[in-house]
Structures are given as C-alpha cells and as structure tokens.
C-alpha cells in the first residue's frame, strides 16, 4: 500500500462571480426575479461542487448602481455555506465602478489567493440598461487582468433597453450575451448560466494547476456552444403567458 493511499488531495477553487445591475430600472419584477432565481439555483451550484473531485466552487457577489458594493466583502464563500442576500434596486448604472471593483479582487492578493490554487473564474453580468459612468476606461483595465482573460464570461441582457454592444465588450463576443424579455425566461436563464458556467469552469484541463490553467479558451467555447443549444430549446418552448419587459 502506498503512503499516499490515505492522503486526501486538496481541491482547487473555482469562484463564480455574480455581477448584478441594481439601478432603479431594475426595480419591481426584474430584481425580484433575479433574487428568486439565484436563491433557487444555489443548491444546484452546491451539487456541482459536491460532485467535483477536483474543484470546490465558491461564490462572490457584486452589485452596482450608484457605485459598486461587494455583497461578499470578506471573500468568496463556499457554495455549501452560501446564502443569497436579496438586492434592492435604486440609482444609476455605474458599470465602470463594477469593472474597477472586479479588477481589484481578481488577484492573488484579492479573491484568488487560495493556497491550493484556483481555476479561472466564471463571471456572470446581469444588466437591463446602459452605463452611466466612465466604463470604457475601467473595462479596458479589467481586460488586461489575466484572471479575467481566462475566465468564462457571460452577460444576461434583461429587456429591450439593455445595451448589448456594451455587454459584448464585457464578454468578448456576442455569443456570450444572452437576451431575456420576461420574468420566466430570466429565471430559467440564470439557472442555466449559473449551473453550466460552474460545471464547465471547474473542469480540469490538461494544463497544470494554479494560474497555468489560464489561456484555456476551450471552456469559453464549450459554454458558448451550450448557450446556443439552450437558446434553441427555449425558443421551441416559449413562455407565451409572460408579458415582455
């Protein structure tokens, strides 16, 4: 018997980031659906984490309106322990502030400091409008961040007023921008995106641990392909009883 037979190999961490627009236009059904959907999907994320021998999934949440505020200021929380705190909607849409806050924490001195190493993160942006601050400068700086470059990035465009061109700039491709126009579809989309991104981002690659996993563009491609399939399936079974925003 090898001395290693009874040694438990520590799992690396994959952080799932929720970056949520909580500006005034998100009030009412929109923010209500976001809160309900994330609450409901957390157990599914826990299940993905429990089933993964290689990665423990942790969750971090950032809201932005008139400024940006971390809802997990102490760092990402294990999916098994995470509890979603409902968000309220008010103010403007300071996407630049969100990009700056995200850039600061996507660092080994911030939220990516696990001793066992980290997979590149999955980042989910939800917004129903257009930025009201100097977002171009802060997004440009964020795009230089190696963790951001390597992570899976997806944006959910909520309603007709969501600026899909800006969301495309954030994700890097229009294939990663997913549109929703009613409450039922928003909840379905949040569940799909959260579970799929968590599962794909926490897969082991053929590259070594830690930051060596960076540059794995295949994970983003795998997610985009899954998203296209989901959109086709959703179009085949629309929620006709739901009023569009």
């Amino acid at each position: 018997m090898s001395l290693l037979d009874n040694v438990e190999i520590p799992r690396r961490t994959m952080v799932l980031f929720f970056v949520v627009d909580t500006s005034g236009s998100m009030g009412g059904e929109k923010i209500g659906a976001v809160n309900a959907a994330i609450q409901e999907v957390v157990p599914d994320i826990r299940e993905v984490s429990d089933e993964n021998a290689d990665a423990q999934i942790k969750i971090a949440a950032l809201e932005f309106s008139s400024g940006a505020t971390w809802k997990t200021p102490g760092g990402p929380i294990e999916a098994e322990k995470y509890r979603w705190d409902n968000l309220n909607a008010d103010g403007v849409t300071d996407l630049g502030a969100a990009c700056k806050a995200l850039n600061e924490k996507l660092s080994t001195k911030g939220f990516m400091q696990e001793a066992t190493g980290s997979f590149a993160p999955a980042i989910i942006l939800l917004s129903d409008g257009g930025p009201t601050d100097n977002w171009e400068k802060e997004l440009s700086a964020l795009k230089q961040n190696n963790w951001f470059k390597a992570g899976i990035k997806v944006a959910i465009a909520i309603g007709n007023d969501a600026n899909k061109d800006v969301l495309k700039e954030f994700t890097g491709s229009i294939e990663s921008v997913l549109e929703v126009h009613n409450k039922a579809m928003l909840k379905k989309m949040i569940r799909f995106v959260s579970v799929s991104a968590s599962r794909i981002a926490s897969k082991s690659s053929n590259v070594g641990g830690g930051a060596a996993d960076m540059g794995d563009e295949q994970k983003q491609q795998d997610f985009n392909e899954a998203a296209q399939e989901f959109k086709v399936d959703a179009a085949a079974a629309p929620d006709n009883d739901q009023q569009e925003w």
Side-chain angles (χ1 to χ4, degrees):
M1 176 183 295
S2 168
L3 293 176
L4 297 178
D5 287 347
N6 295 321
V7 175
E8 182 177 345
I9 300 174
R11 296 189 296 169
R12 292 157 60 201
T13 295
M14 195 288 293
V15 181
L16 174 65
F17 288 87
F18 289 106
V19 182
V20 184
D21 176 356
T22 54
S23 60
S25 59
M26 282 286 293
E29 282 196 345
K30 292 178 183 177
I31 198 65
V34 169
N35 285 325
I38 298 180
Q39 284 178 348
E40 291 170 8
V41 81
V42 167
D44 297 315
I45 298 171
R46 290 178 191 143
E47 186 174 335
V48 173
S49 182
D50 290 343
E51 293 173 352
N52 194 321
D54 298 317
Q56 179 184 54
I57 297 174
K58 294 187 176 183
I59 299 172
L62 175 68
E63 66 169 325
F64 65 99
S65 55
S66 299
T69 303
W70 285 103
K71 305 302 290 182
T72 50
I77 299 172
E78 294 90 343
E80 294 81 2
K81 300 177 181 178
Y82 186 77
R83 297 293 182 272
W84 177 256
D85 290 329
N86 283 346
L87 303 176
N88 298 310
D90 188 28
V92 293
T93 313
D94 288 346
L95 177 61
C99 291
K100 181 178 181 180
L102 190 58
N103 195 20
E104 291 171 350
K105 295 302 184 183
L106 283 174
S107 163
T108 52
K109 296 180 180 179
F111 286 178
M112 314 301 290
Q113 57 180 313
E114 295 294 330
T116 55
S118 298
F119 286 97
I123 304 168
I124 303 171
L125 171 64
L126 299 96
S127 181
D128 75 331
T132 52
D133 63 352
N134 186 9
W135 65 277
E136 295 98 333
K137 175 185 175 182
E138 299 299 345
L139 179 56
S140 178
L142 177 60
K143 285 183 174 181
Q144 303 308 308
N145 185 304
N146 284 334
W147 289 107
F148 184 78
K149 290 179 185 178
I152 290 177
K153 296 171 287 292
V154 56
I156 299 178
I158 303 171
N160 291 324
D161 293 332
N163 192 323
K164 292 184 285 295
D165 290 334
V166 171
L167 299 180
K168 175 186 173 183
E169 286 296 314
F170 184 90
T171 65
S173 71
I174 196 63
E175 290 78 17
S176 304
V177 178
L178 308 176
E179 298 181 52
V180 296
H181 295 279
N182 61 59
K183 179 180 177 180
M185 191 61 195
L186 175 57
K187 293 178 72 173
K188 289 180 182 179
M189 186 66 76
I190 289 175
R191 184 185 185 282
F192 161 75
V193 166
S194 301
V195 172
S196 297
S198 296
R199 183 171 287 122
I200 294 171
S202 61
K203 289 193 304 185
S204 289
S205 67
N206 293 326
V207 185
D213 271 308
M214 292 186 175
D216 187 2
E217 297 178 359
Q218 185 63 45
K219 290 184 180 181
Q220 181 75 58
Q221 182 178 331
D222 289 348
F223 175 83
N224 289 348
E225 290 176 357
Q228 298 312 305
E229 292 179 6
F230 176 81
K231 288 197 291 186
V232 170
D233 292 343
D239 295 289
N240 294 321
D241 60 335
Q242 289 289 332
Q243 182 177 356
E244 291 197 353
W245 289 315

